[in-house]
Amino acid sequence: MNKLLLFFFIASFCSATCLAQNYKFGKVSKEELLEVEHPLEPEAKAAILYRNFETTFIYAKEKGFTGLIKRQERIKIYNKDNNDWLTVSVYLYQGANNSANEVLSGLKAYTFNFDGDVEKIKLDKKQIYKEKINERYTKVTFTMPNIKNGSVIEYEYSIRTPYLNKFDKFYFQESIPIKKVGLSFEAPEYLEYKIHRSGWLPFKINTSSRGRKLSIPYKQKAQGLAIKEKKGTNVFEFDDIESSVVQNDVPSLKREPFSGNVNNYRSTLQFELSATRYPNQVPEFYTSNWGDVAKQIYDSPNFGGQLRKKGFFKDDIDQLIVGLSKKEAILRIYDYVKTKMVWDGFYGIYVNDNLSSVYKETKGSLTEINLLLVSMLQYAGIDASPVILGTKSNGIFLFPTQSGFNAVIACAKIDGDLLLLDASDKMSSPNVLKPELLNWFGGRLLKEDGVSEEIKLIAKQATHDAVVNVKIDEENSPMVMANNRYTNNDAYKMRKNLSGKDVSEMAIYISSIYKDYEILDLGVKEIDNVYKPLKLSFKSRADDYIETIGDKMYISPLLFYGEEINVFKEEERKLPIDYEYGRLSRFIFNIEIPDGYQVESMPESLSVSLAGNIGFYKYIISKNVNGVTISVQRSINESFLEADSYGDLKKFYEAIVSKETEKIVLSKI
């Protein structure tokens, strides 16, 4: 080769090598430390420089295959203030009686800073904390040391798991940008996995295979004098099937108004076992449709098996429902379980302990409490069944999988109606469930005979009615007297925020809703009776909504009930609109005109509708003997709208804000 060409080849090779990013653990560069902002998202407080998942399978003669998940993470910290990425938590599943625990190993973590040279600070083992969450989960937490603006943190660890049916989701997108993320999932051909992908960003899954040998020693005991002891090794040859993904420059997933759980829209992969095909054994197949999934769950001794045991509560229920009709019995048992049991904050599908122990201890998971309710209702002769569902934070699954379900509620059928009941939540009522359970994908009602049916988890439209009387005194200061009435999930939400507070604390919360105006003479009715609408009355001064200039007075007539800002500001939207539940607001404002003034001008009435009966808005204003009356109705009839509705919705709210910020003008007589 010509010497000159050889020189250029070597120079080009060296240049490319020097510029190439080194992702080997611990090899953080000076350039990474000196970077002051993300090149594509300068507002980001942090960025993942490198994330990598490697999953392999290890064989042990006594245990068979186990999974080994190795994770490496390198994160740039641009601004350490109020930054959630400085602390890392790892959750480990613990088997019953510690028989099959997930094990964390190989944890290494460093903080890198630059002060004329690269400084490397190792995480002290004393700063690693292990906490038992419940009988099934342990959490390992550590906070990185010596964090400064500009630091880079890096850690790696491995988790060994015997639970091969499904693996936790692998995330390729976060709330901060990611420069590079990779995944390798390498499973023996004996274990067939379905790959479930979700999210908005496209990515390619590459598949390859390579041969592997597995040597398993054996020992045959001697049998008398005829057969001597034998030792040897069996060698198995099979293929490992690898699925891999590499993504570069992944943008952050930004939360938008009414976006619900944004985790549902992150780009992810999940592997779920669909079949096992071991040599010389009959293949075993796993879930193939929703009916199979439901049957497998119900047939578990930690699910359907628990519903058959009723002796431990018979005497209590017998006394509770004597002389009651079936509908009365449903509500009596429901209230009894709500009052007696305490939710420990955990979901899940299966019973961690037997229901008799849960009942005795008066504490359990959401599933345990609601299976207990189902069992009691069945004992009372009610047509009751468990409903399995996926919570919003569990994600949206569009394929048959047990991973799609992580909670259980009760369903009672009476006179052709379905009553959905959650006894773990003391503020819930029939068919009024916490928003976390109102997952549009729905759930499935399970019967002992294997039959299941789809149950839609869409809340009834919630209403907020208010009558607001406004009187303006001699100093042109408006006194507001408001009477409010809430139903369904609006009442549920208000009760959740007011329960357990004294009147002064309640007033502070109400003030936060109504733009921080002081709340006077607060009255609250039916806060503990979830079967009735919640009523709330108060008085308040709303001086900022009246302006006097010369001989004229300008009034913002909807006061702190008005929509002053359109939350839908962006020109385009990628995420769906999740209202959690449909809502209807009906407000009547009676504004008394002060002596010596007359109405010079006032807004015109307006009516606006969204296509497809999605929603409507009505603003009707009229003069009367004492002043002005305004009737306002805002209605959203759907709980979930696709992103393609955004343009019309944005214009809808623009019309509302424009109308509700118009003023009534009074002039002196």
Side-chain angles (χ1 to χ4, degrees):
M1 181 181 291
N2 182 288
K3 287 185 179 180
L4 184 59
L5 291 176
L6 179 62
F7 169 81
F8 279 117
F9 173 79
I10 294 173
S12 299
F13 176 80
C14 291
S15 176
T17 303
C18 292
L19 292 173
Q21 179 67 60
N22 188 346
Y23 292 118
K24 185 176 180 181
F25 185 80
K27 298 299 181 181
V28 173
S29 67
K30 174 182 174 182
E31 288 72 24
E32 289 172 317
L33 288 165
L34 291 178
E35 186 176 79
V36 295
E37 65 180 29
H38 190 272
L40 301 178
E41 299 186 36
E43 74 284 357
K45 285 191 170 186
I48 297 173
L49 302 179
Y50 182 61
R51 167 179 286 180
N52 192 52
F53 306 101
E54 292 181 6
T55 301
T56 54
F57 289 77
I58 301 168
Y59 185 86
K61 184 178 178 182
E62 299 80 11
K63 298 181 179 180
F65 284 108
T66 56
L68 185 67
I69 307 149
K70 183 178 180 181
R71 177 172 183 165
Q72 180 186 347
E73 194 106 343
R74 183 182 296 179
I75 303 174
K76 171 71 178 184
I77 305 299
Y78 300 111
N79 185 344
K80 68 182 181 65
D81 295 336
N82 299 316
N83 197 316
D84 297 332
W85 293 89
L86 312 183
T87 297
V88 182
S89 296
V90 183
Y91 292 86
L92 304 171
Y93 188 79
Q94 309 297 292
N97 301 318
N98 294 324
S99 59
N101 294 344
E102 291 184 333
V103 178
L104 178 71
S105 64
L107 173 58
K108 295 188 291 185
Y110 295 91
T111 298
F112 297 85
N113 291 315
F114 187 80
D115 187 12
D117 201 359
V118 176
E119 180 186 15
K120 184 177 179 181
I121 305 102
K122 184 178 181 180
L123 175 70
D124 191 330
K125 290 184 178 180
K126 295 179 181 178
Q127 300 301 310
I128 301 173
Y129 302 97
K130 193 173 183 179
E131 176 187 2
K132 184 177 180 180
I133 301 299
N134 61 11
E135 294 300 319
R136 288 292 180 264
Y137 282 96
T138 295
K139 181 172 71 170
V140 178
T141 304
F142 56 91
T143 299
M144 300 302 294
N146 296 83
I147 298 290
K148 303 176 182 178
N149 291 342
S151 296
V152 171
I153 61 177
E154 189 168 36
Y155 58 87
E156 68 174 10
Y157 59 80
S158 296
I159 296 176
R160 187 159 182 168
T161 178
Y163 301 101
L164 307 184
N165 279 16
K166 70 178 180 70
F167 288 80
D168 289 340
K169 287 182 180 180
F170 297 104
Y171 286 93
F172 299 146
Q173 191 175 27
E174 295 286 359
S175 60
I176 57 175
I178 303 177
K179 289 194 174 181
K180 183 170 185 176
V181 56
L183 172 139
S184 171
F185 188 92
E186 197 169 307
E189 63 179 273
Y190 307 137
L191 306 175
E192 293 184 3
Y193 281 89
K194 291 187 291 187
I195 303 177
H196 306 305
R197 60 195 295 167
S198 62
W200 296 89
L201 294 179
F203 54 86
K204 182 181 179 182
I205 304 174
N206 298 302
T207 304
S208 61
S209 64
R210 63 187 179 93
R212 177 178 170 189
K213 289 184 179 181
L214 186 62
S215 299
I216 303 175
Y218 71 86
K219 181 178 180 180
Q220 183 178 347
K221 293 182 179 180
Q223 297 180 12
L225 298 174
I227 301 177
K228 295 182 179 180
E229 181 180 87
K230 289 184 179 181
K231 295 181 180 180
T233 302
N234 289 324
V235 178
F236 296 90
E237 295 187 7
F238 57 92
D239 285 339
D240 274 336
I241 311 299
E242 181 187 23
S243 300
S244 62
V245 176
V246 175
Q247 286 281 89
N248 293 297
D249 295 324
V250 180
S252 62
L253 183 61
K254 293 181 173 62
R255 185 178 296 277
E256 297 176 330
F258 294 104
S259 57
N261 178 25
V262 295
N263 288 339
N264 290 336
Y265 314 115
R266 287 198 286 172
S267 292
T268 68
L269 272 187
Q270 187 168 36
F271 294 82
E272 184 175 28
L273 191 65
S274 60
T276 56
R277 300 180 186 272
Y278 290 107
N280 304 318
Q281 293 185 23
V282 177
E284 185 174 354
F285 298 93
Y286 296 86
T287 55
S288 58
N289 56 58
W290 287 119
D292 292 340
V293 170
K295 189 175 187 308
Q296 286 183 15
I297 292 173
Y298 198 99
D299 288 347
S300 168
N302 290 328
F303 193 94
Q306 295 294 320
L307 295 176
R308 301 184 187 100
K309 304 172 184 177
K310 305 181 187 296
F312 61 91
F313 59 67
K314 285 176 61 177
D315 293 343
D316 294 336
I317 300 303
D318 286 341
Q319 295 178 24
L320 197 66
I321 64 173
V322 62
L324 299 182
S325 67
K326 283 193 174 183
K327 188 168 186 178
E328 291 171 334
I330 291 172
L331 298 182
R332 182 68 62 85
I333 294 171
Y334 172 52
D335 287 336
Y336 172 71
V337 177
K338 279 205 303 179
T339 302
K340 179 180 178 65
M341 303 302 297
V342 176
W343 180 36
D344 63 11
F346 291 94
Y347 291 92
I349 275 290
Y350 298 106
V351 172
N352 289 326
D353 203 348
N354 62 74
L355 288 184
S356 60
S357 297
V358 172
Y359 185 60
K360 182 179 180 180
E361 295 171 4
T362 69
K363 186 176 184 179
S365 69
L366 180 141
T367 290
E368 290 167 339
I369 292 172
N370 286 323
L371 283 179
L372 182 64
L373 173 60
V374 171
S375 187
M376 290 179 173
L377 292 172
Q378 290 175 344
Y379 173 73
I382 308 298
D383 183 3
S385 303
V387 173
I388 56 175
L389 58 92
T391 62
K392 288 189 175 182
S393 60
N394 194 52
I396 298 172
F397 291 81
L398 303 177
F399 44 81
T401 168
Q402 290 194 34
S403 304
F405 301 108
N406 71 325
V408 176
I409 60 175
C411 178
K413 291 186 178 182
I414 186 76
D415 298 331
D417 294 327
L418 294 182
L419 300 180
L420 299 180
L421 309 168
D422 174 21
S424 73
D425 187 349
K426 300 188 186 305
M427 294 298 160
S428 69
S429 56
N431 294 327
V432 178
L433 307 173
K434 67 181 75 174
E436 176 69 5
L437 302 179
L438 298 175
N439 198 343
W440 66 273
F441 183 77
R444 297 201 75 86
L445 182 148
L446 307 188
K447 292 286 190 179
E448 188 172 9
D449 57 8
V451 174
S452 70
E453 62 180 271
E454 185 178 78
I455 297 291
K456 294 189 181 298
L457 296 167
I458 300 174
K460 291 181 179 179
Q461 190 176 51
T463 63
H464 174 197
D465 296 309
V467 176
V468 183
N469 296 313
V470 182
K471 186 172 183 178
I472 303 171
D473 63 20
E474 296 89 355
E475 297 179 355
N476 295 338
S477 176
M479 172 58 76
V480 179
M481 291 154 284
N483 290 284
N484 301 269
R485 179 181 180 272
Y486 303 88
T487 69
N488 297 330
N489 277 80
D490 274 353
Y492 170 89
K493 182 178 179 181
M494 192 64 73
R495 284 189 173 100
K496 274 287 189 183
N497 287 292
L498 296 181
S499 181
K501 293 181 170 65
D502 60 29
V503 174
S504 61
E505 291 171 327
M506 290 182 184
I508 291 172
Y509 174 73
I510 300 300
S511 174
S512 71
I513 296 175
Y514 294 116
K515 302 171 186 175
D516 295 326
Y517 280 88
E518 183 181 8
I519 300 300
L520 308 170
D521 298 340
L522 177 63
V524 181
K525 294 181 179 180
E526 310 296 357
I527 189 169
D528 295 320
N529 189 346
V530 298
Y531 298 102
K532 290 188 176 182
L534 177 68
K535 295 179 180 179
L536 186 153
S537 62
F538 62 83
K539 293 180 181 179
S540 181
R541 290 283 182 186
D543 292 325
D544 291 347
Y545 289 94
I546 290 185
E547 184 180 14
T548 302
I549 301 176
D551 291 339
K552 295 185 179 181
M553 186 183 299
Y554 299 84
I555 304 173
S556 298
L558 269 58
L559 309 164
F560 37 65
Y561 284 84
E563 294 283 358
E564 298 175 356
I565 299 173
N566 186 358
V567 296
F568 300 115
K569 299 177 181 178
E570 301 299 327
E571 289 300 317
E572 296 181 352
R573 182 179 174 114
K574 295 180 180 179
L575 302 183
I577 300 95
D578 184 358
Y579 281 107
E580 295 185 339
Y581 50 88
R583 51 198 70 197
L584 171 63
S585 300
R586 295 174 294 206
F587 304 146
I588 294 176
F589 298 85
N590 297 308
I591 302 174
E592 185 177 326
I593 302 300
D595 293 337
Y597 281 87
Q598 64 183 356
V599 176
E600 179 177 301
S601 65
M602 62 184 190
E604 294 181 357
S605 297
L606 176 69
S607 179
V608 181
S609 296
L610 284 166
N613 195 34
I614 292 174
F616 68 85
Y617 175 74
K618 291 182 180 179
Y619 180 105
I620 300 173
I621 185 168
S622 61
K623 287 190 287 186
N624 56 48
V625 175
N626 295 319
V628 176
T629 297
I630 304 171
S631 170
V632 174
Q633 293 187 55
R634 307 187 201 116
S635 178
I636 294 293
N637 301 322
E638 303 290 338
S639 60
F640 189 89
L641 304 176
E642 296 292 349
D644 57 11
S645 300
Y646 177 68
D648 290 340
L649 195 66
K650 182 172 182 249
K651 292 177 182 177
F652 179 70
Y653 278 93
E654 285 173 353
I656 293 175
V657 171
S658 176
K659 180 54 59 179
E660 297 191 358
T661 52
E662 290 181 0
K663 299 181 186 298
I664 296 173
V665 180
L666 306 182
S667 59
K668 283 190 176 181
I669 299 172

